[in-house]
Amino acid sequence: MLSSFEGFKSYLGDKVSKGEKLGMNEEQLAKTAQKVADYLAKHEEPRNREENLLHELWKVGDKEQQHHLAHMLVRLVQ
């Protein structure tokens, strides 16, 4: 998706900001982030160490843990 983790955070932060402007709450943002992360885990290869770590955490987590990770990612970029 992006070559650097800072670029990834900036991209995600921009999308979260847009979602907030549309009136989405944290739960809605996390559900959307979870859907995007599911897609990325299945269709994209990690391009840096941080993305690789997120990818590995995503793969070993169950749906509840993935949802919590999505919440943490949203909070990270807010």
Side-chain angles (χ1 to χ4, degrees), residues 46-76:
R47 292 195 173 96
N48 56 55
R49 293 178 308 184
E50 295 88 354
E51 285 181 14
N52 190 55
L53 174 60
L54 289 173
H55 180 78
E56 292 298 318
L57 289 171
W58 199 260
K59 287 189 330 185
V60 299
D62 60 27
K63 289 294 179 190
E64 183 179 346
Q65 291 166 326
Q66 290 171 348
H67 185 71
H68 288 295
L69 183 55
H71 269 281
M72 290 188 295
L73 287 169
V74 168
R75 289 180 187 166
L76 176 68

Side-chain angles (χ1 to χ4, degrees), residues 1 35-47 55 58-59:
M1 186 172 169
K35 289 177 185 178
V36 171
D38 274 335
Y39 174 84
L40 292 174
K42 293 174 186 169
H43 298 99
E44 295 288 330
E45 288 298 316
R47 292 195 173 96
H55 180 78
W58 199 260
K59 287 189 330 185

Side-chain angles (χ1 to χ4, degrees), residues 6-41:
E6 289 304 315
F8 168 76
K9 286 185 352 185
S10 178
Y11 175 83
L12 183 58
D14 180 59
K15 300 306 177 198
V16 166
S17 178
K18 287 179 181 176
E20 289 172 332
K21 287 178 184 173
L22 291 172
M24 295 175 75
N25 63 31
E26 186 178 326
E27 182 63 24
Q28 292 167 316
L29 292 167
K31 285 181 180 180
T32 301
Q34 189 172 1
K35 289 177 185 178
V36 171
D38 274 335
Y39 174 84
L40 292 174

